[in-house]
Short mmCIF file of all heavy atoms in Angstrom, two decimals:
data_model
loop_
_atom_site.label_atom_id
_atom_site.label_comp_id
_atom_site.label_asym_id
_atom_site.label_seq_id
_atom_site.Cartn_x
_atom_site.Cartn_y
_atom_site.Cartn_z
N LEU A 663 -34.89 40.19 4.22
CA LEU A 663 -34.43 41.57 4.35
C LEU A 663 -33.76 42.06 3.07
O LEU A 663 -33.95 43.21 2.66
CB LEU A 663 -33.48 41.70 5.55
CG LEU A 663 -34.08 41.40 6.92
CD1 LEU A 663 -33.02 41.54 8.00
CD2 LEU A 663 -35.25 42.32 7.22
N LEU A 664 -32.96 41.22 2.45
CA LEU A 664 -32.29 41.61 1.21
C LEU A 664 -33.28 41.81 0.07
O LEU A 664 -33.12 42.71 -0.76
CB LEU A 664 -31.25 40.56 0.83
CG LEU A 664 -30.02 40.46 1.75
CD1 LEU A 664 -29.13 39.29 1.34
CD2 LEU A 664 -29.22 41.75 1.72
N GLN A 665 -34.30 40.95 0.00
CA GLN A 665 -35.32 41.14 -1.02
C GLN A 665 -36.09 42.43 -0.83
O GLN A 665 -36.61 43.02 -1.79
CB GLN A 665 -36.28 39.95 -1.02
CG GLN A 665 -35.66 38.67 -1.54
CD GLN A 665 -36.59 37.48 -1.41
OE1 GLN A 665 -37.67 37.59 -0.81
NE2 GLN A 665 -36.18 36.35 -1.96
N ALA A 666 -36.16 42.91 0.43
CA ALA A 666 -36.84 44.19 0.71
C ALA A 666 -35.92 45.39 0.51
O ALA A 666 -36.33 46.52 0.78
CB ALA A 666 -37.38 44.18 2.13
N GLY A 667 -34.69 45.16 0.05
CA GLY A 667 -33.76 46.25 -0.19
C GLY A 667 -33.05 46.74 1.05
O GLY A 667 -32.54 47.87 1.06
N LEU A 668 -32.98 45.90 2.09
CA LEU A 668 -32.33 46.29 3.34
C LEU A 668 -31.09 45.44 3.56
O LEU A 668 -30.98 44.32 3.07
CB LEU A 668 -33.30 46.10 4.51
CG LEU A 668 -34.62 46.89 4.44
CD1 LEU A 668 -35.52 46.49 5.57
CD2 LEU A 668 -34.35 48.39 4.48
N SER A 669 -30.14 45.98 4.29
CA SER A 669 -28.96 45.22 4.68
C SER A 669 -29.24 44.52 5.99
O SER A 669 -30.36 44.55 6.51
CB SER A 669 -27.75 46.16 4.82
OG SER A 669 -27.97 47.08 5.87
N ARG A 670 -28.23 43.90 6.57
CA ARG A 670 -28.44 43.16 7.80
C ARG A 670 -28.80 44.06 8.97
O ARG A 670 -29.52 43.66 9.87
CB ARG A 670 -27.16 42.38 8.14
CG ARG A 670 -26.79 41.37 7.08
CD ARG A 670 -25.62 40.54 7.50
NE ARG A 670 -25.26 39.56 6.50
CZ ARG A 670 -24.34 38.62 6.66
NH1 ARG A 670 -23.68 38.57 7.80
NH2 ARG A 670 -24.08 37.76 5.70
N ASN A 671 -28.29 45.30 8.96
CA ASN A 671 -28.60 46.20 10.07
C ASN A 671 -29.80 47.08 9.80
O ASN A 671 -30.09 48.00 10.57
CB ASN A 671 -27.38 47.07 10.40
CG ASN A 671 -26.88 47.84 9.16
OD1 ASN A 671 -27.58 47.87 8.14
ND2 ASN A 671 -25.71 48.43 9.27
N GLY A 672 -30.48 46.87 8.66
CA GLY A 672 -31.73 47.59 8.42
C GLY A 672 -31.60 48.78 7.52
O GLY A 672 -32.62 49.34 7.11
N SER A 673 -30.40 49.22 7.17
CA SER A 673 -30.24 50.37 6.30
C SER A 673 -30.35 49.94 4.85
O SER A 673 -30.27 48.76 4.52
CB SER A 673 -28.89 51.04 6.56
OG SER A 673 -27.84 50.12 6.30
N LEU A 674 -30.56 50.92 3.96
CA LEU A 674 -30.65 50.62 2.54
C LEU A 674 -29.29 50.17 2.03
O LEU A 674 -28.25 50.65 2.46
CB LEU A 674 -31.12 51.85 1.77
CG LEU A 674 -32.56 52.29 2.04
CD1 LEU A 674 -32.85 53.58 1.31
CD2 LEU A 674 -33.55 51.22 1.66
N ILE A 675 -29.31 49.22 1.11
CA ILE A 675 -28.08 48.68 0.57
C ILE A 675 -27.42 49.71 -0.33
O ILE A 675 -28.06 50.28 -1.23
CB ILE A 675 -28.36 47.39 -0.21
CG1 ILE A 675 -29.00 46.35 0.71
CG2 ILE A 675 -27.10 46.85 -0.86
CD1 ILE A 675 -29.38 45.09 0.03
N ARG A 676 -26.13 49.94 -0.07
CA ARG A 676 -25.42 50.92 -0.87
C ARG A 676 -25.12 50.37 -2.26
O ARG A 676 -25.00 49.17 -2.45
CB ARG A 676 -24.11 51.30 -0.18
CG ARG A 676 -24.30 52.06 1.12
CD ARG A 676 -22.94 52.50 1.65
NE ARG A 676 -22.07 51.34 1.83
CZ ARG A 676 -20.77 51.45 2.12
NH1 ARG A 676 -20.21 52.66 2.25
NH2 ARG A 676 -20.03 50.38 2.28
N ARG A 677 -25.00 51.28 -3.16
CA ARG A 677 -24.67 50.90 -4.53
C ARG A 677 -23.20 50.47 -4.58
O ARG A 677 -22.32 51.18 -4.11
CB ARG A 677 -24.90 52.10 -5.45
CG ARG A 677 -24.81 51.76 -6.94
CD ARG A 677 -25.37 52.94 -7.72
NE ARG A 677 -25.32 52.68 -9.14
CZ ARG A 677 -24.33 53.06 -9.96
NH1 ARG A 677 -23.31 53.74 -9.44
NH2 ARG A 677 -24.36 52.80 -11.24
N SER A 678 -22.94 49.27 -5.12
CA SER A 678 -21.59 48.73 -5.15
C SER A 678 -20.75 49.45 -6.19
O SER A 678 -21.26 49.93 -7.22
CB SER A 678 -21.63 47.23 -5.46
OG SER A 678 -20.33 46.72 -5.60
N GLN A 679 -19.40 49.50 -5.93
CA GLN A 679 -18.49 50.14 -6.87
C GLN A 679 -18.37 49.37 -8.17
O GLN A 679 -17.96 49.93 -9.20
CB GLN A 679 -17.10 50.27 -6.24
CG GLN A 679 -17.04 51.13 -5.00
CD GLN A 679 -15.61 51.28 -4.47
OE1 GLN A 679 -14.67 51.32 -5.25
NE2 GLN A 679 -15.49 51.35 -3.16
N ILE A 680 -18.73 48.11 -8.16
CA ILE A 680 -18.56 47.29 -9.34
C ILE A 680 -19.71 47.40 -10.33
O ILE A 680 -19.60 46.96 -11.48
CB ILE A 680 -18.35 45.82 -8.93
CG1 ILE A 680 -17.64 45.04 -10.03
CG2 ILE A 680 -19.68 45.16 -8.58
CD1 ILE A 680 -17.28 43.63 -9.66
N GLU A 681 -20.84 47.97 -9.89
CA GLU A 681 -22.03 47.99 -10.75
C GLU A 681 -21.78 48.68 -12.08
O GLU A 681 -22.23 48.20 -13.12
CB GLU A 681 -23.19 48.64 -10.00
CG GLU A 681 -23.77 47.75 -8.91
CD GLU A 681 -25.03 48.35 -8.32
OE1 GLU A 681 -25.50 49.37 -8.87
OE2 GLU A 681 -25.53 47.80 -7.33
N PRO A 682 -21.07 49.84 -12.14
CA PRO A 682 -20.85 50.45 -13.47
C PRO A 682 -20.04 49.58 -14.42
O PRO A 682 -20.10 49.77 -15.64
CB PRO A 682 -20.10 51.75 -13.13
CG PRO A 682 -20.43 52.03 -11.71
CD PRO A 682 -20.56 50.70 -11.07
N TYR A 683 -19.27 48.62 -13.88
CA TYR A 683 -18.39 47.79 -14.70
C TYR A 683 -18.99 46.42 -15.01
O TYR A 683 -18.34 45.60 -15.68
CB TYR A 683 -17.04 47.61 -14.01
CG TYR A 683 -16.39 48.92 -13.61
CD1 TYR A 683 -16.55 49.44 -12.33
CD2 TYR A 683 -15.63 49.63 -14.53
CE1 TYR A 683 -15.96 50.64 -11.97
CE2 TYR A 683 -15.03 50.84 -14.18
CZ TYR A 683 -15.20 51.33 -12.90
OH TYR A 683 -14.63 52.52 -12.55
N LEU A 684 -20.20 46.16 -14.49
CA LEU A 684 -20.79 44.84 -14.70
C LEU A 684 -21.07 44.53 -16.17
O LEU A 684 -20.83 43.40 -16.61
CB LEU A 684 -22.08 44.70 -13.88
CG LEU A 684 -21.90 44.47 -12.38
CD1 LEU A 684 -23.25 44.38 -11.69
CD2 LEU A 684 -21.09 43.21 -12.12
N PRO A 685 -21.55 45.45 -16.98
CA PRO A 685 -21.72 45.12 -18.41
C PRO A 685 -20.42 44.71 -19.08
O PRO A 685 -20.39 43.75 -19.86
CB PRO A 685 -22.30 46.42 -19.00
CG PRO A 685 -22.96 47.09 -17.86
CD PRO A 685 -22.11 46.79 -16.67
N PHE A 686 -19.33 45.44 -18.79
CA PHE A 686 -18.04 45.08 -19.37
C PHE A 686 -17.58 43.72 -18.86
O PHE A 686 -17.05 42.89 -19.62
CB PHE A 686 -17.00 46.16 -19.02
CG PHE A 686 -15.60 45.76 -19.33
CD1 PHE A 686 -15.14 45.75 -20.65
CD2 PHE A 686 -14.73 45.37 -18.32
CE1 PHE A 686 -13.84 45.36 -20.93
CE2 PHE A 686 -13.43 44.99 -18.61
CZ PHE A 686 -12.98 44.98 -19.92
N ILE A 687 -17.80 43.44 -17.57
CA ILE A 687 -17.37 42.16 -16.99
C ILE A 687 -18.15 41.01 -17.61
O ILE A 687 -17.58 39.97 -17.99
CB ILE A 687 -17.53 42.20 -15.46
CG1 ILE A 687 -16.53 43.19 -14.84
CG2 ILE A 687 -17.35 40.81 -14.86
CD1 ILE A 687 -16.73 43.40 -13.35
N ARG A 688 -19.47 41.17 -17.74
CA ARG A 688 -20.29 40.08 -18.31
C ARG A 688 -19.92 39.84 -19.77
O ARG A 688 -19.87 38.68 -20.22
CB ARG A 688 -21.76 40.44 -18.18
CG ARG A 688 -22.27 40.48 -16.74
CD ARG A 688 -23.78 40.52 -16.70
NE ARG A 688 -24.30 40.58 -15.36
CZ ARG A 688 -24.71 41.71 -14.76
NH1 ARG A 688 -24.68 42.86 -15.44
NH2 ARG A 688 -25.17 41.68 -13.53
N GLU A 689 -19.68 40.89 -20.52
CA GLU A 689 -19.32 40.72 -21.92
C GLU A 689 -17.96 40.02 -22.05
O GLU A 689 -17.79 39.14 -22.90
CB GLU A 689 -19.27 42.09 -22.59
CG GLU A 689 -18.92 42.02 -24.08
CD GLU A 689 -18.85 43.41 -24.71
OE1 GLU A 689 -19.16 44.40 -24.00
OE2 GLU A 689 -18.48 43.50 -25.89
N THR A 690 -17.00 40.41 -21.19
CA THR A 690 -15.68 39.78 -21.25
C THR A 690 -15.75 38.32 -20.86
O THR A 690 -15.13 37.45 -21.49
CB THR A 690 -14.71 40.53 -20.33
OG1 THR A 690 -14.69 41.92 -20.68
CG2 THR A 690 -13.31 39.96 -20.44
N LEU A 691 -16.52 37.99 -19.79
CA LEU A 691 -16.64 36.59 -19.37
C LEU A 691 -17.41 35.76 -20.37
O LEU A 691 -17.18 34.55 -20.48
CB LEU A 691 -17.32 36.53 -18.00
CG LEU A 691 -16.48 37.03 -16.81
CD1 LEU A 691 -17.30 36.98 -15.53
CD2 LEU A 691 -15.21 36.20 -16.66
N ALA A 692 -18.33 36.37 -21.12
CA ALA A 692 -19.04 35.62 -22.16
C ALA A 692 -18.10 35.20 -23.27
O ALA A 692 -18.23 34.12 -23.85
CB ALA A 692 -20.19 36.46 -22.70
N GLN A 693 -17.11 36.06 -23.59
CA GLN A 693 -16.14 35.73 -24.62
C GLN A 693 -15.03 34.82 -24.10
O GLN A 693 -14.52 33.96 -24.83
CB GLN A 693 -15.53 37.01 -25.19
CG GLN A 693 -16.54 37.91 -25.90
CD GLN A 693 -15.90 39.19 -26.39
OE1 GLN A 693 -14.70 39.41 -26.22
NE2 GLN A 693 -16.71 40.06 -27.01
N HIS A 694 -14.64 35.02 -22.83
CA HIS A 694 -13.55 34.24 -22.22
C HIS A 694 -14.03 33.70 -20.87
O HIS A 694 -13.73 34.29 -19.82
CB HIS A 694 -12.30 35.10 -22.05
CG HIS A 694 -11.89 35.84 -23.29
ND1 HIS A 694 -11.24 35.23 -24.34
CD2 HIS A 694 -12.08 37.15 -23.66
CE1 HIS A 694 -11.01 36.12 -25.29
NE2 HIS A 694 -11.52 37.30 -24.90
N PRO A 695 -14.77 32.60 -20.84
CA PRO A 695 -15.34 32.11 -19.57
C PRO A 695 -14.29 31.69 -18.55
O PRO A 695 -14.56 31.73 -17.35
CB PRO A 695 -16.20 30.92 -20.02
CG PRO A 695 -16.41 31.09 -21.48
CD PRO A 695 -15.20 31.79 -21.99
N THR A 696 -13.11 31.28 -18.99
CA THR A 696 -12.08 30.79 -18.06
C THR A 696 -11.07 31.86 -17.67
O THR A 696 -10.04 31.54 -17.07
CB THR A 696 -11.34 29.59 -18.67
OG1 THR A 696 -10.72 30.00 -19.89
CG2 THR A 696 -12.31 28.45 -18.95
N LEU A 697 -11.33 33.12 -18.00
CA LEU A 697 -10.40 34.19 -17.65
C LEU A 697 -10.31 34.31 -16.13
O LEU A 697 -11.33 34.38 -15.43
CB LEU A 697 -10.88 35.51 -18.26
CG LEU A 697 -9.92 36.70 -18.14
CD1 LEU A 697 -8.66 36.44 -18.94
CD2 LEU A 697 -10.60 37.99 -18.59
N VAL A 698 -9.08 34.32 -15.60
CA VAL A 698 -8.90 34.34 -14.15
C VAL A 698 -9.28 35.70 -13.60
O VAL A 698 -9.23 36.74 -14.29
CB VAL A 698 -7.43 34.00 -13.78
CG1 VAL A 698 -7.11 32.59 -14.19
CG2 VAL A 698 -6.46 34.97 -14.43
N ALA A 699 -9.68 35.73 -12.32
CA ALA A 699 -10.16 36.96 -11.70
C ALA A 699 -9.06 38.01 -11.56
O ALA A 699 -9.32 39.22 -11.64
CB ALA A 699 -10.77 36.66 -10.34
N SER A 700 -7.79 37.56 -11.38
CA SER A 700 -6.70 38.53 -11.23
C SER A 700 -6.49 39.32 -12.52
O SER A 700 -6.25 40.54 -12.47
CB SER A 700 -5.43 37.80 -10.82
OG SER A 700 -5.06 36.84 -11.80
N ARG A 701 -6.58 38.64 -13.68
CA ARG A 701 -6.42 39.38 -14.95
C ARG A 701 -7.61 40.28 -15.20
O ARG A 701 -7.45 41.43 -15.66
CB ARG A 701 -6.27 38.38 -16.11
CG ARG A 701 -6.10 39.06 -17.46
CD ARG A 701 -4.77 39.79 -17.54
NE ARG A 701 -4.68 40.65 -18.71
CZ ARG A 701 -4.80 41.97 -18.66
NH1 ARG A 701 -5.00 42.59 -17.49
NH2 ARG A 701 -4.71 42.70 -19.76
N LEU A 702 -8.80 39.82 -14.89
CA LEU A 702 -9.99 40.66 -15.06
C LEU A 702 -9.96 41.86 -14.13
O LEU A 702 -10.39 42.97 -14.51
CB LEU A 702 -11.24 39.81 -14.82
CG LEU A 702 -12.58 40.44 -15.16
CD1 LEU A 702 -12.64 40.83 -16.63
CD2 LEU A 702 -13.72 39.47 -14.84
N PHE A 703 -9.40 41.68 -12.93
CA PHE A 703 -9.27 42.80 -12.00
C PHE A 703 -8.33 43.87 -12.58
O PHE A 703 -8.58 45.08 -12.46
CB PHE A 703 -8.75 42.30 -10.66
CG PHE A 703 -8.42 43.40 -9.69
CD1 PHE A 703 -9.43 44.06 -9.01
CD2 PHE A 703 -7.11 43.77 -9.45
CE1 PHE A 703 -9.14 45.07 -8.11
CE2 PHE A 703 -6.81 44.78 -8.55
CZ PHE A 703 -7.82 45.43 -7.88
N GLY A 704 -7.23 43.44 -13.21
CA GLY A 704 -6.33 44.41 -13.83
C GLY A 704 -6.99 45.17 -14.96
O GLY A 704 -6.77 46.39 -15.12
N MET A 705 -7.83 44.48 -15.75
CA MET A 705 -8.52 45.15 -16.85
C MET A 705 -9.52 46.17 -16.33
O MET A 705 -9.63 47.29 -16.86
CB MET A 705 -9.22 44.11 -17.73
CG MET A 705 -8.27 43.13 -18.40
SD MET A 705 -9.12 41.75 -19.21
CE MET A 705 -10.01 42.63 -20.49
#
Side-chain angles (χ1 to χ4, degrees):
L663 296 179
L664 291 174
Q665 289 175 354
L668 301 173
S669 64
R670 298 186 179 186
N671 55 11
S673 61
L674 293 175
I675 300 177
R676 293 185 303 172
R677 190 167 181 265
S678 175
Q679 298 183 35
I680 202 174
E681 287 188 7
Y683 306 95
L684 284 179
F686 168 75
I687 292 174
R688 293 193 181 100
E689 181 182 355
T690 305
L691 289 177
Q693 297 177 1
H694 309 283
T696 60
L697 188 65
V698 296
S700 60
R701 180 68 191 104
L702 189 59
F703 173 77
M705 297 171 65

